[in-house]
Amino acid sequence: MIVDCAVYRDGHRTEGPEDLSDALDAARAAGGFVWIGLHEPSEREFELVTREFGLHPLAVEDALKAHQRPKLEVYDDSLFMVLKPVVYEPESDTVSAGEVMIFIGDAFVLTVRHGEGAPLAAVRRRLEEEPEMLGKGPTSVLYAISDAVVDHYLEVATELQTDLEELEAEVFQPDGGGSRNTASRIYTFKRQVLEFRRATGPLVPPLTRLAGTGQIGGGVPFVDDKARPFFRDVNDHLARVNESVESLDRLVSDILNAHLAQMSVRQNDDMRKISAWAAMAAVPTMIAGIYGMNFDHMPELHWLWSYPVVIVVMAVLEVLLYRQFKRRGWL
């Protein structure tokens, strides 16, 4: 359940006691904070943490069930934030999202991870290498996690842009729109962009509030007001990500429409060719049908040159039709 537990004083790590209550008391006594990391805890496992840190029941329910939108909630004894880190899988060209729940309170940080892709271990290592930043308290952890998640959004957006360029080249290749699976690939890519948007879009209001630039003025409890410029920087990066996501969504929709238009044009070309060949086949069929009715009194029926003349007439008509259809681009 507990992935890591440590007490930080003046930006330096000291191993926390095994008992969570003792760890919190030690952090408060030392003027620092305790950072506990958990991975997909069960309800029974999380009960001890809830009791020791006085977490709000609604936040606990969200942390256990997961599948939450990015959000920021303020309770009496803690601050609760949800982030959705994303992972790009190059082998399958898919985007998958995990979840990170962050509780911040008086001298404690509690992180709960669901799924893969959360950069918590890397963030902890990086912060421990920067004691000056870590010495600013729980706010530094909230900022570092938010910054790492959003920075990875930029990397995923770049990967998706590369995939979109490849898809665009496939649709507009000279042979006229790629294979029959192109439409399926475009739709699958659009679903990946939608999954990405679900992680980035709802994160704007929480970061705007932390940055102090939203309509709701004033500071956020348990977050140092001096950290606002740092959260504004993260918010700027998130704005770039959302602009990229919007651009990707528009472009993939345009590519899908272009592909469908190409398929429609190709079908029209096929129908014109079929119609032209059918018209050419109708002329000799008509003539042969008339002379195959076995009437005794028909014009030139017993004439010596009847057969060669009919063949020549059919050939001339076929050539004229072929040239006419070819000139109009039907063949």
Side-chain angles (χ1 to χ4, degrees), residues 59-244:
V60 172
E61 181 181 359
D62 290 343
L64 289 174
K65 292 185 177 180
H67 303 292
Q68 304 295 319
R69 288 165 53 91
K71 62 180 180 179
L72 178 67
E73 299 286 351
V74 178
Y75 298 103
D76 293 336
D77 298 324
S78 63
L79 178 74
F80 178 63
M81 186 170 184
V82 179
L83 298 168
K84 293 182 73 70
V86 297
V87 176
Y88 175 80
E89 300 174 359
E91 295 80 9
S92 56
D93 294 334
T94 58
V95 173
S96 59
E99 289 187 43
V100 174
M101 286 78 169
I102 308 171
F103 293 87
I104 292 182
D106 179 21
F108 74 86
V109 176
L110 179 65
T111 55
V112 182
R113 176 168 61 92
H114 290 268
E116 301 299 329
L120 298 183
V123 169
R124 189 186 287 262
R125 287 195 300 269
R126 181 164 60 86
L127 281 176
E128 290 176 354
E129 294 174 357
E130 300 178 7
E132 183 178 355
M133 173 66 74
L134 193 57
K136 299 183 182 297
T139 301
S140 64
V141 178
L142 180 62
Y143 159 71
I145 296 176
S146 302
D147 184 55
V149 169
V150 173
D151 283 349
H152 192 62
Y153 286 165
L154 292 171
E155 298 176 8
V156 174
T158 301
E159 295 288 348
L160 289 177
Q161 183 65 43
T162 301
D163 288 346
L164 182 61
E165 292 173 357
E166 295 175 356
L167 196 58
E168 186 178 18
E170 179 181 340
V171 170
F172 293 104
Q173 60 186 350
D175 64 358
S179 65
R180 296 181 180 179
N181 295 326
T182 301
S184 176
R185 287 191 57 198
I186 295 174
Y187 181 74
T188 301
F189 184 86
K190 192 172 181 64
R191 288 186 63 88
Q192 305 309 314
V193 174
L194 178 60
E195 181 72 17
F196 193 22
R197 173 181 282 179
R198 288 172 180 167
T200 63
L203 187 57
V204 174
L207 283 181
T208 300
R209 186 176 179 185
L210 290 171
T213 57
Q215 296 180 352
I216 303 177
V220 179
F222 308 105
V223 176
D224 191 347
D225 290 341
K226 295 181 180 179
R228 287 185 177 183
F230 296 94
F231 285 109
R232 281 200 293 269
D233 181 67
V234 178
N235 201 22
D236 289 341
H237 292 175
L238 182 63
R240 288 173 50 196
V241 172
N242 282 321
E243 289 174 0
S244 298

Side-chain angles (χ1 to χ4, degrees), residues 293-302:
M293 290 188 293
N294 297 324
F295 291 125
D296 288 335
H297 303 286
M298 293 183 66
E300 311 300 340
L301 187 63
H302 299 289

Side-chain angles (χ1 to χ4, degrees), residues 280 283-284 287 308-324:
M280 293 173 61
V283 172
I287 297 175
V309 169
V310 170
I311 295 299
V312 170
V313 169
M314 288 192 293
V316 170
L317 291 175
E318 289 294 300
V319 171
L320 291 176
L321 287 173
Y322 179 82
R323 294 184 62 183
Q324 184 69 14

